[in-house]
Amino acid sequence: MQIWLDTANIEEIREASKLGVVKGVTTNPSLVAKEGDVDFRSRVLEICDIIDGPVCAEVLSLEAEGMIAEGRDISRWAPNIVVKIPTTAAGLEAISVLSQEGIKINQTLCFSVNQVLLGASAGSTYVSPFVGRLDDVGHDGIQLVADMVEVFSKHNIKSLVIAASLRHPLHCVAAAKAGAHIATIPYKVLMQMLKHPLTDIGLTRFVEDWHRLVKV
Ligand code: G3P
């Protein structure tokens, strides 16, 4: 399972990229807005400069025509851009037009297997089930990831499943066990994945023991 970062914050992307584990970045309008007064295109280009892998930027139009125009424009910003399109009827129309032009699509706001079956058929390169948001309303987000992976595998569907809206390290383990191809996570969760108190305690003890022996 690849690890992608779900943020539009440049410092977080810089820090995380040093670890050598981040293979892509997803953004969404809320994450970009959280950054304050930044120009969307410039921010996405900055991210593309840091990350070699796919960088996902979302269209804002709600109508197919607008999504298609925006998608074409965004896709020209950098070679590693993936256009995020929401799961609506207009979105499906845009996905089918843009994917036929060779533009890579991340179908976003996915909450059912049926939605991603349609998206995959329209040409989505990636589909993004929002795990945390389903958990928030009492549904099992990880079960949805497992169902999508199973159905895609059974029918030899090539679209990749990005487990999104992951909120904590257990979500990452569960997404991996469910067979997600990619997990996109906030920076905080990435650092939580790395952290273990026994690693810190063990390291402190090694260093103390070394110095004690060297002194003797
Ligand atoms: O990738 C989708 C993600 O940004 C949504 O996360 O925590 O707002 O549900 P959240």
Side-chain angles (χ1 to χ4, degrees):
M1 181 177 76
Q2 284 192 5
I3 302 294
W4 291 12
L5 212 57
D6 191 33
T7 183
N9 184 281
I10 282 296
E11 293 318 314
E12 290 182 349
I13 293 167
R14 272 210 188 95
E15 282 308 305
S17 76
K18 290 183 199 163
L19 306 180
V21 298
V22 176
K23 307 298 178 199
V25 168
T26 50
T27 66
N28 65 38
S30 307
L31 291 172
V32 177
K34 219 167 89 181
E35 293 301 299
D37 193 20
V38 296
D39 174 61
F40 178 44
R41 183 174 182 275
S42 320
R43 178 50 58 99
V44 170
L45 288 179
E46 269 183 278
I47 299 171
C48 289
D49 270 351
I50 302 169
I51 298 290
D52 280 338
V55 172
C56 303
E58 189 159 342
V59 299
L60 291 170
S61 304
L62 299 178
E63 305 304 325
E65 208 180 316
M67 288 182 186
I68 293 166
E70 266 187 79
R72 282 183 182 136
D73 178 41
I74 292 172
S75 73
R76 290 188 203 107
W77 292 353
N80 50 335
I81 291 274
V82 173
V83 177
K84 274 179 95 172
I85 308 264
T87 306
T88 59
L92 284 185
E93 196 178 326
I95 289 167
S96 70
V97 170
L98 294 171
S99 65
Q100 280 175 52
E101 294 175 8
I103 294 170
K104 292 204 162 58
I105 308 293
N106 175 355
Q107 181 189 344
T108 190
L109 289 167
C110 301
F111 295 98
S112 76
V113 174
N114 279 328
Q115 287 181 320
V116 300
L117 275 173
L118 296 174
S121 183
S124 298
T125 322
Y126 306 95
V127 298
S128 292
F130 276 31
V131 172
R133 291 196 193 181
L134 273 172
D135 290 357
D136 287 344
V137 295
H139 288 250
D140 187 343
I142 289 294
Q143 186 56 51
L144 177 63
V145 173
D147 290 346
M148 286 177 178
V149 170
E150 184 190 336
V151 168
F152 281 9
S153 156
K154 202 167 270 177
H155 294 280
N156 203 20
I157 292 169
K158 300 293 178 212
S159 312
L160 299 174
V161 176
I162 305 178
S165 179
L166 300 180
R167 307 266 177 77
H168 50 71
L170 279 178
H171 266 158
C172 301
V173 176
K177 286 168 90 171
H181 304 100
I182 297 150
T184 188
I185 55 175
Y187 178 76
K188 181 182 158 203
V189 175
L190 175 68
M191 299 319 285
Q192 287 173 327
M193 284 175 79
L194 179 63
K195 195 80 182 159
H196 199 290
L198 290 179
T199 304
D200 299 341
I201 292 167
L203 188 58
T204 305
R205 195 171 300 158
F206 284 157
V207 172
E208 284 171 359
D209 287 348
W210 173 258
H211 286 300
R212 218 180 355 256
L213 282 173
V214 167
K215 268 186 211 151
V216 169

